[in-house]
Amino acid sequence: MSKAQEHNKAKKYGMVIDLDKCTGCGACMVACMAENNVPFKKDESDKLLSITWMKVYKLTNGKDFPDADICYLPRPCQHCEGQHSGHSPCVSVCPATATDYSTDTGIVSQIYTRCFGCRYCMAACPYHARHFNWWDPVWPAGMEKMLSPDVSVRMRGIVEKCSFCFHRYQRAKDKAYMEDRRELEEHEYQTACTQACPAGAIIFGDLNNPDHEVHKIAQPDPGHHGRPKNPNAFRLLERLGTNPKVYYLSSREWVRKAGDNYLKTEKINKH
Amino acid sequence: MKIDRRSFLSLGVGAGAGIALSPLPWKLTDDSSIWTQMWPWTPVPRDGAVNYVNTASTICSGGCGLSVRKIDDRAVKVEGLKGYPGSNGNACIHCMAGIQMLYSPNAVKSPMKRTGKRGEGKWQPISWDEAISETAKKLGELRESGKASTLACILNSDYGTIPALFKQFLNAFGSPNFMRTPSYQDAYEMTLALMHQTDSMAVFDAENADFVLSFGSGIIDGWGSSVRMFKANSSWKEKNVKLVQIEPRLSNTAAKSDQWLPVNPGTELILALGIAHVIITESLYNKDFVEKYAEGFEDWTDNEGNKQKGFKNFVLEGYSPSYAARVTGIEANTIVKLAKDFAGASAPLALCGRGQGTTPGSIHEFMAVHALNALVGNINKKGGIWAMPKPDYIKWEQAKLDDTAREGLKVPRADGAGTEKFPHAKYLLTRLPEVINSAKESPIQALFVSGANPAYTLPDTKAVAKAFASIPFIVSFTSHMDETAEMADIILPNHGHFERYEDIPAPPGYNKPVVGLARPVISPQHNTRHVGDTLIAIAGKLGGTIAESFPWKSYEECLEKTMGENWTSIQESGVITNPDYEAPGWDTAFETSSKKFAFIPGNHNPGNNSLQIPVIEGNDNYRLTLIPYDSMRLAAGPVGNTPFVTKTVSEKVLKGNDICIEINPKTAEKYGLKQGQYAILTTPKGKAKVKTELSPGIMPDIIAMPRGLGHTGIDEYLAGKGININELIGPVEDPASGLDAAWGIKADLVKA
């Protein structure tokens, strides 16, 4: 197979999150924790120490009563591609190759057994999507029964983050191979948060596939490193050039503006 | 060779470069990371066969349909069940984390008997035989001393076979005191009983509404069937359906609405009537409905020849937009525009029941909001509010009564519901603590609590605790050590929510008949017993007509016989529903003597047309008003938060063990308070240390506190965190209905 053909076949899994629909209920966070064996402590109110692969932020428009407004913004790992394939901020600094960019799927992996906890990646990630295990996880007696065998349990001293539920991709792939198929249907591989969102605010799929919802909604512009053509869509810190694969939708301008560090007087860059 | 400084250094540099270029350091870091991760205490989840069990939720009030993923015999993940009415493929945050409850170390592991003082937490495990004998003995003594009517049961629902078994037990025993925990459903049922004269549930065709006017209902904050309402809200966004949210705080619902109207709390009723005023004066009401299918709109003369004022003149004389504007704080032209938009929509829907609807509220407010739906003729119509009959699939033989039972059933209810003073109320649990505390001897001598946690959820926790202290015998059927169980004498633990059968009828507000089936996902983890089986066993022990009233060997047999020919299909699909159900047309919907909708109910002229507005507790010495607020991430009902859910709670709500109180920055400045400061919150009911959270999303002089914190029980991931707002707020009796109509309380906040 030639290089060009290989390139055509590559997937670029990504997400579109509709902030007009997101209710901030937190179901995505819990679905993620349950799916990925994320640990919990007695006090989780220090959010710098709280491991949340998927975290729902609350944005405010900064105005006084009664013009105040809030909006919730769920933040998984953005699975940045960078300016050229695989040049994600975290991947390029990892000395142990514990985190890597898959050109097949566009997913940024995290291999726990390779990570030795230097936390360069955490410093490099502009989205606070990475979390460090300061302690060994402890499940109260009996509760380890709920641990899923699909995702290994992490231990103290390593970094972890959202994997776009990669084990679900593997399971779906296995199933497809068993049925003598090589391609996955759109619905066959969905992340736990996407599946859980009761408001239907999260959409997941292959950004390279024009038939997939994510592609249709975000309309990524290949000439501009995937910048969305949909005027209501934006990406977080677009101007850093991280080329993330998570797109957000909002009909409110102040929300779209909150996605990057705009000056007060600055207008959002129209494409 | 002589080693001089020069050769030593070059050797060192050479060795350094050699090591760096060799794979050695990388291999060593890799190895060290591997070997430092091989700790024996890190669990390695056992692999096994994946399988799914479908069930319905008993832990959330919304009635989620669930699909539980299992690895061999372990439940590992909860997902939504596709095709389940309402929740269709999704589950709420609490159900998703429900496995943590199932495997909680705080589950009650066997029957227990209190050994220390009440609430001291000293328990002794006992056998089931012992537990049931002792309970039956205590109950037998009550009957012998002629106090059968002093047994009460508190449950969180009165639909389904479990509540029916408790009712059957009470009837056979001889007590009228079955009580359901309060909610907005009480007020809606009473509204329908008065205005339709039907014994029905208020349900909403929310998906088909094209204008939604919410009087503080937390549509995306857990009101009604939460997942279903999220989906409805998303469909409104797609169809550009307008949502107007009326409440003093920028809740999630208010933030997602198209128009947020911060209203002076407690004046929603006046706003509804102000809107009605515009609809009537501008003649925007549905003439077909009002003229042909409704009564009490125009003035009328009653049977005794007295002139009665109709709804039209009642509204026109008293509730002009300018008056409503003065009272509610919403500008008159906004009210006029809102009324025109509402009446101009083709399927406008007005809703009430504040927040998640855990407080019933003022009956006149519910009636006024329902009258808005009537004015636009959106009752029992597509996109409107429907009055749906209550589930009626339980057709058992009536309980057999002996003389003791007959005598006991003649005694009026302890909470005053159904008495001359409150003829329309069915349950008035919030009145019970006061009744007990003001009596010489408690009118309740024995109490059964199942599926409810009144010691935590009822307002005025102190009064509730005092009342419970004077009940000599309390039995809890809980499967988790909650606050009510802490006050019990005997705990007869029910199976966990994924370990038992139970029918789950009527998700709140869902406009099709539904009976879901909760079924065992895993086998019982502890020495527990199904509450139905326990009740049948107690009845058997008591013998006589009580035993005869329970003709089943087990709960499973009871459920199977109750479902009859539907038993096979409900087991297969997990639910029985009728998606084609339509509410009856206007000509057959109302059961009043004229078969018409009653704008002003004939037999309940609300205080001769005068409105009774509940006044909250506290005098003018309190400078602020405290209101509770609800959030999906805090379970405020009988079941507390699981660790996963508490993890999602913002540090602006709970920081360490401190609860944060929302206050407008201007109000804070006025009273010398800064962001994140400790402050003492005082209300007529109590005092608490809180932290300030400055928020421009709340009206000046109002402060808001989340419901669902301040547990003493449940588990160490929840206990001791924050304050239970019920410690600071008491019930306010609605003068017209007896229901709790408290929406807040006067309060003060000073720097600690």
Side-chain angles (χ1 to χ4, degrees):
Chain A
M1 197 186 279
S2 76
K3 254 227 145 108
Q5 273 174 314
E6 232 174 46
H7 185 75
N8 282 340
K9 279 196 76 184
K11 308 280 184 291
K12 210 157 117 181
Y13 284 105
M15 221 173 240
V16 178
I17 305 181
D18 189 339
L19 303 183
D20 290 340
K21 287 183 183 170
C22 172
T23 66
C25 76
C28 54
M29 296 166 85
V30 164
C32 174
M33 292 182 221
E35 179 79 20
N36 292 297
N37 297 336
V38 177
F40 49 92
K41 310 185 296 291
K42 271 168 208 164
D43 181 7
E44 291 278 4
S45 67
D46 185 342
K47 299 300 175 188
L48 286 174
L49 302 177
S50 185
I51 299 177
T52 41
W53 293 14
M54 172 59 117
K55 181 173 175 172
V56 179
Y57 286 89
K58 185 177 174 177
L59 313 178
T60 49
N61 68 349
K63 291 194 178 162
D64 286 340
F65 177 86
D67 300 313
D69 198 4
I70 50 175
C71 184
Y72 289 94
L73 184 137
R75 187 246 46 216
C77 169
Q78 306 286 303
H79 295 272
C80 310
E81 189 180 8
Q83 295 293 303
H84 56 84
S85 184
H87 198 73
S88 329
C90 52
V91 170
S92 50
V93 299
C94 180
T97 329
T99 183
D100 203 1
Y101 186 88
S102 154
T103 45
D104 286 346
T105 58
I107 292 174
V108 176
S109 62
Q110 179 74 18
I111 302 160
Y112 313 123
T113 45
R114 278 193 193 162
C115 173
F116 53 79
C118 72
R119 288 170 279 149
Y120 287 4
C121 56
M122 287 176 67
C125 174
Y127 302 109
H128 298 287
R130 296 177 155 270
H131 300 271
F132 185 63
N133 284 272
W134 289 95
W135 301 277
D136 268 316
V138 180
W139 280 268
M143 228 188 265
E144 70 282 354
K145 280 187 194 151
M146 68 179 287
L147 292 173
S148 158
D150 289 343
V151 182
S152 32
V153 172
R154 284 76 62 187
M155 55 300 294
R156 84 173 162 231
I158 60 159
V159 172
E160 60 181 77
K161 68 155 197 90
C162 153
S163 67
F164 270 174
C165 289
F166 189 71
H167 59 282
R168 288 188 168 215
Y169 175 74
Q170 288 173 311
R171 282 216 181 238
K173 268 292 210 197
D174 286 353
K175 186 165 171 281
Y177 268 65
M178 290 291 286
E179 291 164 8
D180 213 20
R181 288 181 290 129
R182 292 296 176 266
E183 291 293 320
L184 296 179
E185 297 284 324
E186 188 175 0
H187 66 88
E188 281 185 295
Y189 167 38
Q190 292 290 316
T191 64
C193 53
T194 310
Q195 181 194 33
C197 179
I202 309 180
I203 314 247
F204 182 79
D206 179 9
L207 289 163
N208 278 350
N209 190 332
D211 296 332
H212 281 203
E213 275 303 296
V214 280
H215 180 97
K216 288 190 218 162
I217 300 171
Q219 303 161 25
D221 181 355
H224 289 92
H225 297 295
R227 206 162 66 188
K229 284 192 223 155
N230 179 340
N232 276 352
F234 67 98
R235 295 189 289 183
L236 295 180
L237 305 176
E238 174 75 61
R239 297 191 290 189
L240 278 183
T242 51
N243 190 2
K245 282 196 277 295
V246 179
Y247 295 77
Y248 294 92
L249 288 179
S250 177
S251 58
R252 300 181 187 193
E253 200 197 355
W254 74 264
V255 175
R256 298 199 295 272
K257 226 171 163 177
D260 212 334
N261 293 311
Y262 291 96
L263 297 171
K264 263 193 182 151
T265 51
E266 199 179 352
K267 286 259 182 313
I268 293 190
N269 200 3
K270 292 276 175 226
H271 313 301
Chain B
M1 189 184 132
K2 201 180 129 204
I3 299 180
D4 58 8
R5 186 171 171 270
R6 186 194 190 109
S7 62
F8 176 79
L9 283 179
S10 39
L11 205 69
V13 170
I19 292 170
L21 289 173
S22 78
L24 190 69
W26 316 112
K27 178 69 186 145
L28 282 177
T29 47
D30 192 24
D31 278 3
S32 68
S33 68
I34 290 169
W35 288 103
T36 53
Q37 291 173 16
M38 305 279 259
W39 303 121
W41 55 81
T42 307
V44 179
R46 197 162 34 80
D47 210 347
V50 182
N51 56 102
Y52 287 84
V53 180
N54 297 340
T55 182
S57 175
T58 57
I59 56 173
C60 79
S61 59
C64 295
L66 309 176
S67 178
V68 183
R69 183 160 89 226
K70 288 174 67 185
I71 302 292
D72 288 343
D73 58 347
R74 303 185 293 125
V76 300
K77 172 97 191 289
V78 176
E79 283 158 12
L81 175 59
K82 284 213 175 72
Y84 194 87
S87 67
N88 187 15
N90 292 96
C92 74
I93 183 169
H94 300 288
C95 290
M96 301 221 49
I99 292 181
Q100 293 197 315
M101 258 183 87
L102 183 67
Y103 292 130
S104 168
N106 225 44
V108 182
K109 294 175 182 70
S110 75
M112 297 210 285
K113 191 181 165 179
R114 174 170 66 84
T115 54
K117 276 193 222 131
R118 270 260 172 92
E120 205 182 8
K122 286 189 179 160
W123 299 93
Q124 184 197 348
I126 52 173
S127 73
W128 272 104
D129 283 347
E130 222 178 316
I132 284 168
S133 304
E134 180 144 347
T135 308
K137 191 176 141 234
K138 282 266 165 45
L139 295 185
E141 286 166 10
L142 272 191
R143 270 173 76 82
E144 275 158 33
S145 57
K147 290 181 183 168
S149 66
T150 65
L151 171 66
C153 294
I154 299 177
L155 275 81
N156 64 333
S157 167
D158 63 350
Y159 309 140
T161 53
I162 301 294
L165 280 171
F166 276 93
K167 284 183 196 165
Q168 183 90 345
F169 189 89
L170 280 177
N171 278 337
F173 192 80
S175 167
N177 287 310
F178 178 92
M179 290 170 204
R180 178 176 78 174
T181 46
S183 78
Y184 73 118
Q185 294 188 50
D186 294 324
Y188 258 128
E189 283 175 13
M190 200 187 289
T191 302
L192 298 181
L194 290 168
M195 300 175 104
H196 295 207
Q197 292 275 314
T198 54
D199 184 23
S200 48
M201 310 182 291
V203 296
F204 310 91
D205 191 16
E207 291 81 358
N208 291 312
D210 72 349
F211 188 104
V212 182
L213 181 61
S214 152
F215 287 83
S217 301
I219 289 167
I220 54 166
D221 291 286
W223 182 88
S225 189
S226 62
V227 170
R228 183 239 180 167
M229 294 315 292
F230 291 157
K231 287 175 189 276
N233 181 63
S234 289
S235 77
W236 296 338
K237 296 277 170 274
E238 282 163 15
K239 294 184 288 190
N240 284 323
V241 170
K242 201 171 171 190
L243 166 64
V244 179
Q245 183 71 7
I246 301 161
E247 62 176 315
R249 177 181 168 270
L250 184 70
S251 64
N252 292 353
T253 309
K256 279 282 169 284
S257 69
D258 298 87
Q259 190 180 8
W260 168 42
L261 295 176
V263 64
N264 289 331
T267 65
E268 288 86 344
L269 160 59
I270 306 297
L271 181 61
L273 293 174
I275 295 170
H277 188 285
V278 179
I279 294 176
I280 295 170
T281 43
E282 305 260 340
S283 197
L284 300 171
Y285 55 90
N286 184 320
K287 273 133 214 131
D288 184 39
F289 180 80
V290 170
E291 281 159 21
K292 284 193 212 141
Y293 301 99
E295 62 175 23
F297 185 70
E298 304 287 350
D299 296 351
W300 78 96
T301 312
D302 68 15
N303 294 342
E304 281 123 50
N306 300 319
K307 281 227 173 241
Q308 298 284 353
K309 198 183 286 174
F311 182 73
K312 181 171 126 186
N313 282 333
F314 168 69
V315 169
L316 291 184
E317 284 165 22
Y319 302 96
S320 67
S322 56
Y323 170 75
R326 262 201 318 279
V327 179
T328 61
I330 293 171
E331 283 177 28
N333 48 12
T334 309
I335 298 176
V336 172
K337 168 116 192 357
L338 182 59
K340 286 180 181 171
D341 289 352
F342 180 73
S346 62
L349 176 62
L351 306 169
C352 60
R354 284 181 183 79
Q356 295 183 347
T358 42
T359 303
S362 146
I363 188 67
H364 286 167
E365 183 181 319
F366 276 71
M367 289 169 75
V369 173
H370 196 51
L372 284 181
N373 287 315
L375 280 176
V376 294
N378 207 12
I379 291 173
N380 285 17
K381 282 270 173 189
K382 195 177 173 190
I385 176 170
W386 299 2
M388 195 167 81
K390 293 178 177 174
D392 65 344
Y393 58 93
I394 300 175
K395 294 185 170 95
W396 301 340
E397 265 182 54
Q398 287 199 333
K400 295 193 174 61
L401 309 182
D402 58 10
D403 289 343
T404 318
R406 269 188 286 271
E407 283 307 304
L409 289 171
K410 282 185 201 152
V411 179
R413 285 174 63 92
D415 61 3
T419 57
E420 207 171 306
K421 197 170 171 201
F422 304 111
H424 306 288
K426 280 196 158 160
Y427 315 112
L428 293 173
L429 181 55
T430 42
R431 292 190 77 245
L432 188 65
E434 178 56 30
V435 170
I436 293 178
N437 292 338
S438 57
K440 258 195 207 137
E441 192 195 68
S442 168
I444 301 300
Q445 291 287 308
L447 177 65
F448 281 4
V449 183
S450 174
N453 186 8
Y456 175 82
T457 60
L458 286 186
D460 199 352
T461 322
K462 251 183 260 153
V464 176
K466 196 179 160 205
F468 276 24
S470 39
I471 300 174
F473 186 59
I474 301 176
V475 180
S476 167
F477 294 86
T478 187
S479 40
H480 283 85
M481 211 53 204
D482 57 31
E483 286 78 4
T484 309
E486 282 171 351
M487 307 186 99
D489 299 276
I490 284 189
I491 304 177
L492 303 173
N494 192 2
H495 292 326
H497 62 294
F498 284 154
E499 299 169 344
R500 66 171 190 257
Y501 274 112
E502 191 173 332
D503 49 329
I504 318 287
Y510 192 71
N511 57 322
K512 309 278 165 183
V514 172
V515 186
L517 180 70
R519 68 181 120 199
V521 173
I522 59 165
S523 51
Q525 302 286 299
H526 306 292
N527 182 18
T528 52
R529 199 177 270 193
H530 197 292
V531 58
D533 288 329
T534 309
L535 217 49
I536 292 170
I538 297 172
K541 203 85 183 175
L542 284 165
T545 45
I546 302 179
E548 286 166 31
S549 301
F550 289 80
W552 312 282
K553 279 191 200 71
S554 68
Y555 173 72
E556 226 177 298
E557 187 196 320
C558 163
L559 184 62
E560 192 182 328
K561 286 206 170 133
T562 307
M563 300 316 298
E565 54 187 16
N566 285 325
W567 179 239
T568 329
S569 65
I570 199 173
Q571 279 200 309
E572 272 164 21
S573 59
V575 66
I576 308 174
T577 180
N578 176 10
D580 301 325
Y581 173 82
E582 293 289 338
W586 291 341
D587 44 354
T588 55
F590 311 112
E591 301 284 331
T592 51
S593 52
S594 59
K595 302 286 173 205
K596 285 179 176 178
F597 174 85
F599 271 103
I600 293 188
N603 65 344
H604 178 75
N605 209 335
N608 295 323
N609 288 5
S610 69
L611 286 181
Q612 289 162 322
I613 299 174
V615 180
I616 58 162
E617 207 174 337
N619 54 31
D620 289 342
N621 292 336
Y622 295 96
R623 299 174 296 177
L624 302 166
T625 301
L626 171 70
I627 57 168
Y629 73 87
D630 289 321
S631 151
M632 269 316 284
R633 302 192 200 171
L634 283 169
V639 174
N641 263 18
T642 43
F644 274 162
V645 180
T646 305
K647 193 172 165 177
T648 70
V649 175
S650 160
E651 72 276 26
K652 292 179 172 182
V653 174
L654 175 73
K655 182 74 188 168
N657 284 340
D658 298 319
I659 191 169
C660 306
I661 298 293
E662 282 184 20
I663 180 169
N664 188 293
K666 294 219 170 77
T667 311
E669 201 188 332
K670 191 160 82 181
Y671 298 121
L673 294 162
K674 292 198 180 75
Q675 163 66 23
Q677 225 170 24
Y678 280 114
I680 301 295
L681 174 64
T682 327
T683 73
K685 287 289 176 229
K687 228 180 209 189
K689 193 177 170 192
V690 298
K691 254 186 167 176
T692 52
E693 174 61 35
L694 267 47
S695 161
I698 186 158
M699 284 176 91
D701 296 323
I702 309 274
I703 49 176
M705 186 176 192
R707 278 200 182 99
L709 288 167
H711 277 278
T712 57
I714 311 291
D715 66 18
E716 52 190 350
Y717 294 86
L718 187 60
K721 289 185 177 174
I723 309 286
N724 179 3
I725 191 164
N726 292 321
E727 290 169 23
L728 300 169
I729 204 164
V732 169
E733 196 174 289
D734 181 16
S737 68
L739 296 169
D740 176 22
W743 46 263
I745 192 163
K746 291 295 224 172
D748 219 321
L749 196 62
V750 291
K751 209 174 127 186

